[in-house]
Amino acid sequence: MSEAPETSQELSEVLEDLRRHLLWQEEDGGRFLQVDARLAAELRGAGLARLRAQAQAAKPASSVAAQPAPAAPQPAPAARPMAPRAPAPEPERPLAARAPEAAPVRREAPVARPLEAPAQARPAAGPLPGVVEGERPTLDEIRRELGDCRRCKLCDGRKNIVFGSGNPRAELVFVGEGPGADEDAQGVPFVGAAGQLLTKMIEAMGYRRDDVYICNVVKCRPPNNRNPEPDEVTACEPFLRAQLRAVQPKVIVALGKFAAQTLLRDTTAITKMRGNWREYEGIKLMPTFHPAYLLRQPAEKKKAWEDLQQVMKFFGKQPGQRG
Ligand code: URA
């Protein structure tokens, strides 16, 4: 079927508009658009039918009639070959895709996926619903997802869920084990005796407590401050991993064996792990002693301080220096 001249003119205009739009997209950083020969052919060939229909549908009947007829049907302009592009900057990679871990530990699934079984045999954890795989959730979204959690038996005895506190964009995150009585009562991590020591440690490093982010492996108090059990860690761990993904710190300090072993999926004793830089999903991780242990064994504070000094060195901080 031959085209009415005015239709052909309209198509030329549509195609020109489209071509300009594509060029603008490219100049403006829309590097995902690939105007290649195939698309150009589509525009000139099969795609014309669709464009024609769209152009006709969008145009009031009267304006079609008002268009002056061109002398001859205009050929549709071919899409100009694109200038060679600079390579697109690498998109922000999900944490799980970052540099491999320095230590010979297993790779792990991204945060929002069901977790692989960690070093200790644990039942498989479910996914973290509501947190889209590959996306970076916010702490608020994660907290909402946690809700009035009843995913493990720790919910029976808790007063408050202790989610985490501090700067949601902190460069430094401290991860503890689980809330004690004071934390359970207040819903805030590390506010009891161990917390007061942790606050001193943070301040000695040149930070205020509010500068850093603090959270725990499990968010509910284990009865009588017993150790969290494997199924409890498994239930809570996706939320910890999501928190770390949300904050994206430069350094994580793992306080004590539970934090270090859970994050690193490594059953090595904390006495051996402490003081040695590790990597958690591309983030530097320093295992050190838990403040509660340091309260019981004050002679070990020196070692913990050495560990924290390594962190300070990484950030170029002097003791007591703020900012
Ligand atoms: N010990 C922890 O591991 N976390 C707290 O929040 C308090 C004490």
Side-chain angles (χ1 to χ4, degrees):
M1 194 177 76
S2 67
E3 291 168 7
E6 60 270 34
T7 309
S8 189
Q9 169 68 21
E10 287 158 19
L11 284 172
S12 292
E13 286 166 7
V14 169
L15 284 168
E16 180 57 19
D17 275 358
L18 184 61
R19 189 180 71 81
R20 283 174 200 275
H21 181 69
L22 291 171
L23 286 169
W24 170 80
Q25 286 270 11
E26 187 188 54
E27 281 159 19
D28 208 39
R31 299 179 186 84
F32 306 108
L33 287 170
Q34 301 281 331
V35 180
D36 57 13
R38 187 182 56 77
L39 178 54
E42 262 181 35
L43 292 178
R44 286 193 300 272
L48 279 176
R50 191 165 32 85
L51 284 171
R52 186 182 302 137
Q54 284 167 355
Q56 289 291 21
K59 193 174 275 288
S62 58
S63 70
V64 172
Q67 290 287 326
Q74 299 292 310
R80 190 161 57 93
M82 290 296 183
R85 300 181 184 106
E90 213 179 329
E92 191 183 357
R93 283 175 290 163
L95 287 178
R98 287 188 185 173
E101 301 202 355
V105 294
R106 287 191 296 130
R107 296 296 303 145
E108 47 204 278
V111 172
R113 290 206 196 129
L115 291 168
E116 290 173 24
Q120 306 102 306
R122 292 188 196 132
L128 185 48
V131 177
V132 178
E133 188 177 312
E135 283 188 5
R136 183 178 165 198
T138 66
L139 288 171
D140 282 349
E141 284 169 343
I142 301 162
R143 180 62 191 89
R144 269 199 297 280
E145 190 57 46
L146 186 60
D148 182 33
C149 184
R150 313 210 68 80
R151 292 170 179 83
C152 84
K153 55 190 178 302
L154 291 183
C155 67
D156 295 335
R158 72 157 184 249
K159 290 195 180 77
N160 284 296
I161 290 177
V162 180
F163 180 66
S165 72
N167 179 356
R169 291 279 170 271
E171 62 181 13
L172 180 57
V173 168
F174 290 83
V175 179
E177 176 180 322
D182 295 305
E183 291 77 19
D184 182 44
Q186 296 185 39
V188 180
F190 281 101
V191 289
Q196 284 165 24
L197 177 56
L198 177 62
T199 303
K200 283 187 190 149
M201 289 158 65
I202 291 167
E203 289 173 350
M205 291 175 77
Y207 292 96
R208 289 167 310 194
R209 224 185 114 110
D210 286 352
D211 293 333
V212 305
Y213 188 76
I214 306 174
C215 58
N216 283 304
V217 172
V218 294
K219 313 294 185 223
C220 299
R221 182 189 180 202
N224 305 313
N225 298 340
R226 67 157 167 76
N227 289 336
E229 292 176 355
D231 61 310
E232 296 156 0
V233 175
T234 298
C236 227
E237 194 180 352
F239 293 94
L240 169 62
R241 290 176 184 272
Q243 283 172 297
L244 294 172
R245 194 184 181 91
V247 178
Q248 286 196 330
K250 293 198 173 73
V251 174
I252 298 166
V253 173
L255 299 166
K257 111 178 181 175
F258 272 89
Q261 292 186 347
T262 301
L263 289 173
L264 296 171
R265 303 192 191 282
D266 181 339
T267 53
T268 305
I270 187 68
T271 45
K272 292 224 162 60
M273 272 199 274
R274 63 143 283 272
N276 298 305
W277 282 113
R278 301 287 294 268
E279 203 170 283
Y280 166 81
E281 296 203 355
I283 303 170
K284 287 174 78 74
L285 184 149
M286 176 57 71
T288 194
F289 290 131
H290 192 286
Y293 171 77
L294 297 175
L295 288 175
R296 295 194 301 274
Q297 305 287 337
E300 300 284 60
K301 284 183 185 173
K302 186 170 170 293
K303 290 182 192 157
W305 180 234
E306 284 166 9
D307 303 344
L308 298 182
Q309 280 180 308
Q310 290 199 62
V311 175
M312 290 160 60
K313 193 169 168 204
F314 172 81
F315 285 117
K317 283 176 107 58
Q318 303 294 323
Q321 179 198 354
R322 280 266 157 84

